[in-house]
Amino acid sequence: MLEFREFEEKDEELLVSYLNDESLTRFLSARIPQPYTNESARWWVNTGSKIGVVYAIVSDGILVGTIGAIPGEFERQRTAEIGYWVARPYWGKGIASQALEKFTQLIFENTNFIRLYASVIEDNRVSAKVLEKCGYRLDAVLEKAIYKNGAAFNELHYSKIRI
């Protein structure tokens, strides 16, 4: 059973374990410190996860990832950037798609956002497929818009509009 909840102190150890896995973090934002320390996890639980609408993704009572939406500002106040990740031991089980579908519905039903968007490194075909499966549309390919780990990558820009 997939559920969302707020992050708790008990999540810190798993966050450190998950977010020191290069196979996971290679496609995540450089905002996530590397190496990911206990202090990083404590900040996330107490402060970072309180910015925007952010939830722990829990499957069968175990933290397996996160999903969130960060509101835009000024003229983009009705738009939010979404992001998500699922820890490697839980890949291939449909958790990301299920979480994104549920989260998108929750956001559109409980906020005034009319547009959600996500940016994906082009090499992250799995995340692109998750977005497409959940009805997000590819709006643009921004050439060499992301620079990470010493290389430039194209950025895939997806969005979904409230119907």
Side-chain angles (χ1 to χ4, degrees):
M1 175 96 181
L2 185 83
E3 300 173 316
F4 295 146
R5 65 163 169 77
E6 304 238 339
F7 279 90
E8 301 170 353
E9 186 178 323
K10 69 180 183 179
D11 298 326
E12 292 176 14
E13 186 176 331
L14 279 175
L15 286 168
V16 171
S17 172
Y18 294 157
L19 291 171
N20 278 304
D21 180 350
E22 193 276 331
S23 63
L24 171 64
T25 60
R26 69 184 172 146
F27 292 130
L28 297 183
S29 171
R31 288 179 282 199
I32 298 171
Q34 293 297 301
Y36 200 80
T37 64
N38 291 326
E39 293 76 27
S40 302
R42 194 169 308 110
W43 177 86
W44 176 253
V45 168
N46 295 319
T47 304
S49 67
K50 311 290 190 245
I51 300 168
V53 180
V54 178
Y55 294 109
I57 301 170
V58 177
S59 179
D60 297 324
I62 300 168
L63 171 71
V64 299
T66 188
I67 194 162
I70 305 299
E73 296 180 315
F74 306 108
E75 61 273 4
R76 289 196 169 96
Q77 63 187 286
R78 302 287 295 273
T79 296
E81 180 178 14
I82 61 163
Y84 53 87
W85 59 260
V86 172
R88 184 167 42 146
Y90 304 97
W91 289 357
K93 301 178 186 304
I95 291 172
S97 297
Q98 186 181 351
L100 181 59
E101 190 68 40
K102 182 176 180 176
F103 184 74
T104 300
Q105 182 178 350
L106 180 107
I107 291 294
F108 282 154
E109 289 177 356
N110 295 292
T111 71
N112 66 357
F113 296 131
I114 57 174
R115 182 175 185 273
L116 299 176
Y117 76 93
S119 295
V120 179
I121 292 176
E122 186 173 46
D123 290 358
N124 191 352
R125 295 305 313 156
V126 172
S127 190
K129 281 185 171 187
V130 166
L131 288 158
E132 291 164 4
K133 181 179 178 181
C134 293
Y136 284 73
R137 183 186 73 220
L138 179 63
D139 290 328
V141 177
L142 307 175
E143 290 187 58
K144 307 298 181 197
I146 296 174
Y147 187 80
K148 186 170 180 192
N149 299 329
F153 299 92
N154 292 344
E155 175 184 358
L156 305 180
H157 196 277
Y158 285 88
S159 69
K160 187 165 186 175
I161 308 300
R162 180 197 313 247
I163 299 174

